[in-house]
Amino acid sequence: MLGAEEFSVGTIGDATPLALILPRNEHEPTALIGRATQGDARAIFFLDDRNLFKSFECAGNSHWTGLQIQGVRIEVDETSAFDPERQWPKAGCVLRQSTQLLAVAAGNFQSSRGTELVLLVDDLAPASHKAAFSRWQISLGQGFEKRVLHSIDADK
C-alpha cells in the first residue's frame, strides 16, 4: 500500500527522475523516469510487457499518465553481477559505471536500433570498473518500512 503523500497522478511528461510510474488501467505503462545519456532530457524506460525495456525522451509528453511514485530506490541482486566488458548487457539489465547507474534499453521506442542507455542514478561514488546486473528491483522506504514495488529479471 502507498501512503497518500507517497504518490501523485499525472503525465509522464510531468514526472521527474527517479519516479516509478504505475498504471491505473490496462492502457497505462509501468515505467521508470530517468534521463537520456545525451543531453539532460527526461526519458522513460518501460517495464510493462507491451513495451518491455523500450525508451524515449518524454519531456512534455501528455499521452501516457499514471501514478507517480517519487523517491524510489534501485537495488541490484549482487548474485546476478557480470562483467560488461566481456559480455554487453542485454536490454533490461542495469549497468554501474563511473558515478552512474544506467538501464539498458531495447533501443528507442520508435525504432529497434540496438540498445541505448537511460540514466537512472547519478552522483554515486566513483567506480574505476563496470558491473552489470540482470536482476534488480525498485523499492520505496528503508528498513521495516521498505516495500518492493517492482522486480526485474532481464534473463526471463
Side-chain angles (χ1 to χ4, degrees), residues 36-122:
T37 55
Q38 303 299 319
D40 197 32
R42 281 175 280 177
I44 187 167
F45 178 69
F46 288 95
L47 300 169
D48 57 89
D49 290 339
R50 192 173 12 157
N51 300 304
L52 190 60
F53 306 141
K54 294 276 189 173
S55 71
F56 68 87
E57 292 182 11
C58 65
N61 185 298
S62 60
H63 179 72
W64 278 301
T65 58
L67 301 179
Q68 298 178 6
I69 305 167
Q70 289 294 144
V72 297
R73 293 182 52 193
I74 306 297
E75 301 174 322
V76 299
D77 179 348
E78 69 281 358
T79 66
S80 73
F82 62 95
D83 183 353
E85 299 293 335
R86 293 180 178 251
Q87 170 191 351
W88 183 250
K90 63 180 148 186
C93 291
V94 290
L95 175 67
R96 173 69 159 89
Q97 68 178 19
S98 185
T99 61
Q100 302 175 328
L101 184 70
L102 304 124
V104 181
N108 188 286
F109 187 78
Q110 290 85 11
S111 71
S112 55
R113 61 173 209 275
T115 58
E116 296 184 5
L117 297 173
V118 175
L119 178 62
L120 299 178
V121 182
D122 203 356

Side-chain angles (χ1 to χ4, degrees), residues 2-3 5-8 15-21 31-34 67-75 120-121 137-143 145-149:
L2 293 171
E5 70 284 353
E6 292 179 314
F7 72 95
S8 64
T16 58
L18 183 65
L20 175 64
I21 307 297
L32 275 172
I33 302 297
L67 301 179
Q68 298 178 6
I69 305 167
Q70 289 294 144
V72 297
R73 293 182 52 193
I74 306 297
E75 301 174 322
L120 299 178
V121 182
Q137 63 188 20
I138 303 158
S139 65
L140 184 63
Q142 295 182 4
E145 300 287 319
K146 179 176 130 178
R147 289 155 288 158
V148 175
L149 302 176

